[in-house]
Amino acid sequence: MSETRRIGKYELLEELGRGGFAVVYKARDVTLNRIVALKVLFPHLTSDPKFVQRFQQEAQTAAQFHHPHIVTIYEVGQEKGMHYLAMTYLEGRTLDRVIAEGSLTPEQAVAILEQIAGALDLVHSRGLVHRDIKPANIMIGEDGQATLLDFGIVRAAEGTRLTTTMAVVGTPEYMSPEQAEVTEDAEIDWRADLYALSVVAYEMLVGKPPFSGTSPSAVLYKHVYEAPPRPTVLNPAVLPGVEAVLLKGLAKKREERFQKAEEVARQLRQAVLTRQKTPPSP
């Protein structure tokens, strides 16, 4: 950045990235002299009091997690109308960048999945749903450590007036069928995260997510009404046993999917390591 900027006690060093809700900076906590990742909500979002309240509540809840594969949240606060979230600064690359390089082996993909699965099962055991599981929200360190990022913003936006001004709350390629056709009285539970986790596994092993399109609505339609392309057709290196696990994870009906993230990872580990040619036992 061309000049020193601060938000409260945080000195902004460089911009790391931005999405639909916020910009993330590498920053220095001048009080504790430590580097953090500082997520700052875009100003136009903070005009909705309900969104701000829910964002703060979700962030405070996520800050209670202590898990090696969940990013540590240090503080949620505001300074002169700017609402922010301070968390651990992680070295490495997001999983979407790793996938784009095409360098993941099946064994590496399963190792990443196992780490995130453990984190998700903890989240779900506390009665929470992440709602935005995707490669861009998974950081991979140089040592292979996978860390789950970005709690709270999608959940905070749902049910506020932002949903009337934003066509999609979430990332269409990773949204479950029940999220894609959500109605006002619909309940989104932990199995939406398990669907998204299966999409991530599919993308790591096949090379691309099962559904894409020219518009968000086109992608959401496919999640609801179309069968995912068979992984063995798109990538002949995918084993039939691996395909069976991926397709079960992408079942349209949530009761037909795996019911825990650990189940997805365990079945994929079994399929990859045994190189079996028949579907794994449920």
Side-chain angles (χ1 to χ4, degrees), residues 200-219:
V200 172
Y202 186 110
E203 185 172 359
M204 285 194 292
L205 293 163
V206 175
K208 62 180 181 179
F211 300 117
S212 59
T214 56
S215 68
S217 59
V219 178

Side-chain angles (χ1 to χ4, degrees), residues 218-234:
V219 178
L220 297 179
Y221 178 92
K222 292 179 180 180
H223 279 294
V224 176
Y225 297 108
E226 295 186 9
R230 299 190 71 88
T232 52
V233 173
L234 296 180

Side-chain angles (χ1 to χ4, degrees), residues 39 55 58-59 62 65 70-71 73 85 119-120 123 128-130 148-154:
K39 173 169 292 201
F55 167 72
E58 294 288 326
F65 291 123
I70 297 177
V71 67
I73 295 176
L85 185 69
L120 266 184
V123 171
L128 297 179
V129 183
H130 186 286
L148 183 59
L149 312 174
D150 213 8
F151 285 86
I153 291 186
V154 167

